[in-house]
Amino acid sequence: MLTYLLRRVLLMIPTLLGITLVVFSVMVLSPGGISAQTLVEGSDMKPQEKQALMAYYNQRYGLDQPAPIQYLRWLNNVSPIGFTQDAEGDYNGFSFTKGMDLGMSFMYGRPVREILAERIPITLLLNAVTIPLIYLIAIIVGVKAAQDRGGRFDVFSNVSMLALWSVPTMLAGVLLLGFFASVQHFQWFPTAGISSRAAQDMPFLPHLLNGEFVPGFLLDRVWHLVLPVICLSYAGFAGLAKLTRTSVLENLHADYARTARAKGLAEPDVLWRHVFRNSLLPLITVSAGLLPSLLAGSLIVENIFSINGMGQLAVEAVKGRDRELVLSITWISGFLTLIGYLIADFCYTLADPRVSYD
Amino acid sequence: MQKRLTTKDWILYALIAVLITLLLLVMYQIDRQWLRLTEMQTALQAQAKDMRDLRSAVSSGTLARTDNAATATTPAVAAAFNRAHAMTQQAGYAQGDWSVNAFGNNLKTLTPLVSSDAYASDVQSYVLESLITRNPDTLAWEGLIAKSWQVSADGLTITFQMRDDVTFSDGKPLTADDVAFTFDFIMTEAIQAPRDRAYLEKIASVKANGKYEVVFTYKEPYFEALSLAGGMSIFPQHFYEPYLKTPQAFNESKGLLLGSGPFQMPDPKGWTPDKGNVELVRNERYWGDVQPSYNRILWKIIQNDSARLTTYRNGEIDAYGARPKEYADLKQDPQMMDKSQHFEYMPPVAGYSYIGWNQERGGKPTRFADKRVRQAMSHLTDVQRVIKDVFLDYAEPAVSPFSNTSKQHDPALQPYAFNLEKAQALLKEVGYEDRNKDGVLEDAAGQPFEFKLTYFDANEDTKRMVLLLKDLYAKAGVKMIPFPQEWPVMLESLNKKDFDAITLGWTSGIETDIYQMFHSSQAKTDGDNTISYKNPELDKLIDQARATVDEATRMPLWQQAERIMYDDQPYTFLMRRKTLAFIDKRIHNLQMTKLGLNRGLLPLENYVPAAQQKYQQ
């Protein structure tokens, strides 16, 4: 198992290199390119300013060098081992401990690492709430539908899951906002952000202050997350519930399930101890793609609900042709995809003892 | 099978229970500290308010009057604060409440010079102040931090006498040294301010002459010399000077913002973009003759348009700017009208949109190099109809780069009217005829008159306008191919001058400088004369006007330049669009001035009557 893991991790290196090479080439070839004017909003910049800014960026980021050299320089910067630079930018030695440098974002004029450190926790928070929710609902609905095959619940859940699955996130987001956040209908939830301004002046837990109820930071955060999480999760659990249902159904009629029943096991034990475990395999396969897709999927939701997460950052970076940022984001999502597959493979061995990689 | 809890399970459960209890206890403890801090903060705020009341009582002379009625003097309020002072005399006037606004995009940094977007300068305008400011009624310059100023006869030196009672929000006095420092700071190569340096390069030196007098010396006469010197935001030397040693830290900073304005950052070094919102609090030490009414100014980040509208409807932001169609619809909406005041106005700095005809491509003149073709195109572009159909009359036709209300504009000039016959006659004169009877004009060589109109693909209104124009041009046998482009791609084709015709907009100022778009010298370089328009006569006038400091002699020069452009039609000037806004009824004393609506103009002239205030602190 350990050698297998090691092999897989080592294989990631060429894959990630390939990803960055492709992305870098696309960035270089795409029309528009990085220009000083792309970096500032609006077009009212005087020629002197424009030239000054252009010269400044060229000098600072080496944009005037040929593309392959720019790529190699970038690669050297991000690789944990490589050549070191002195203050003038000349290469003066080779080091195994120089550490990774993701570079500077053109648009933000700040280290990419810092920007990512700001944004990743927000996306993680969203996913940490969404992924368990997706699985919880999918498994409950899927298993119940399988048990009730052909029954009222089965038909109802089938239809509603299919309906949910086909609603585009963009539309759902706007509808949710329009109905559940607007004063014209039900103003139950907030319209934007992940916490309100007032939460800054609140204690963490709900309190009664001078006879007035204060929801507290925690409750406020939960309250803000409701609509985005619904938006992020419904398509996921709708698809997964269908998958769970099929897979559980298949196993419920398998020979081993009949044997277990014949042995006198109670039906819940048959279901949860034997059938469910075997039905997990397809769910695990899907989970491999879930992690990276949530990162990308939060793009729309983050935009509708004005949440400063990775999805939004990715859009901004591509729009602004911010090369370092785009490369870092693709690198991270590529890495997450690979890790997702690795975790899925590892989970197979847990769910099914017959699977082994030795 | 029967499940039984083993000892192992019990230990596990116990551990989890202990962990949860500990977590709850920690939260509780943190909350206790929090509540205590809130109490202290409330007490401090109450004290600050008392101080403020006392100070304004002293400065307005109320206290002196009670001592000795005989020596009562009229309160001395500087001219710049006259309008704000008039507001404080209104019946319902009260201090308090917050101004809440929305930004459509994330802010990248609030640090002045480094920031490049309009949002950041919006925030900075409440914090940083300059020597002089424009009077919203007369558009004349008035002293803010400067008491008075003299311009030398040759226009090369400007001397400002400054007020001696101005302090930054941290209590340190603002002196002439700070002004001189600001200039030196911006001109330091290592500081990321190439844009500001490009303007200020015209200044040879800024010297403090004593504690409250500062002298700007120019290298050459320049028509905007006064606004350049007087409009420069003043940075506190003690705050920004350390960054001269670590310029990188300044260039990469997110929120280094401290000034003498009526509002301040709660922590002048601590803001970061991940906070999302931007919040300014009242500067308790504000030196001005009138204290601002709001306690705080808050900007929320709301990217999605429909979310922004919903938030406005819910009463969580104070203003909503609408597009023409939306504005017309919302005006019929009772919920919206019930809570809003609505405004449609033309700010004097409203930019104009245009179609630029590229006159040179790949070193060769294009068909638009002939002035008659451009005139014909202007006659074919039915601006009135575009304004009526696309912008629902919320715009006015533009004659030239100069605003119709500006002194630079010659009122005798009328916008080009739609005139099919005239256009056809002009085109025939150049040699365009429909030789093969296919409905499209051909030139002498048999090449059809067709061109691509490049436009920004994300703007709905532009899209509709381009389609309308396509039909209009087709009437005269001119084939236009709409060519939507993404923003960076569009900028690239602009820089490479690689397009047939393009539609875009320019922002204007109170006085608009046309050097960068229309001077021949700007066609050669990376300049903004992207259509390669050259007219030596116009060049001479532009140069002359820019070097004329005296307004009375300068304005006729601009008008002469305008007439040349009117005849040449390097651009087909389209229109200036009105600002359409809904503002919460809570906000009082909204007035129309020559600078537009007085919301957000400093010194602040809006307030919320005590009964309608929403936010306490």
Side-chain angles (χ1 to χ4, degrees), chain A residues 32 44-47 49-50 60 110 181 183-184 191 197 200-202 204-205 207 306 308 312, chain B residues 31 34 106 192 195 199 254 273 279 296 302-303 311 313-314 335 492 506-507 516 522 528 617:
Chain A
D44 56 333
M45 209 185 354
K46 308 211 167 164
E49 282 180 65
K50 201 174 2 180
R60 184 158 159 192
R110 294 168 50 204
V183 69
Q184 289 174 301
T191 43
R197 165 61 186 78
Q200 281 177 33
D201 303 329
M202 284 180 197
F204 193 79
L205 298 172
H207 271 268
S306 308
N308 290 330
Q312 220 179 58
Chain B
D31 274 0
W34 186 282
N106 268 323
Q192 187 183 331
R195 298 187 68 183
Y199 291 101
K254 290 142 261 175
E279 192 175 320
R296 285 173 200 234
I302 305 171
Q303 277 118 339
T311 315
R313 280 181 187 280
N314 292 356
Q335 194 265 339
E492 198 190 21
W506 283 114
T507 45
Q516 58 168 332
Q522 300 304 309
D528 281 317
Q617 296 178 359

Side-chain angles (χ1 to χ4, degrees), chain A residues 148-159:
Chain A
D148 185 41
R149 187 190 184 184
R152 205 176 297 162
F153 182 81
D154 189 26
V155 174
F156 174 73
S157 70
N158 248 331
V159 171

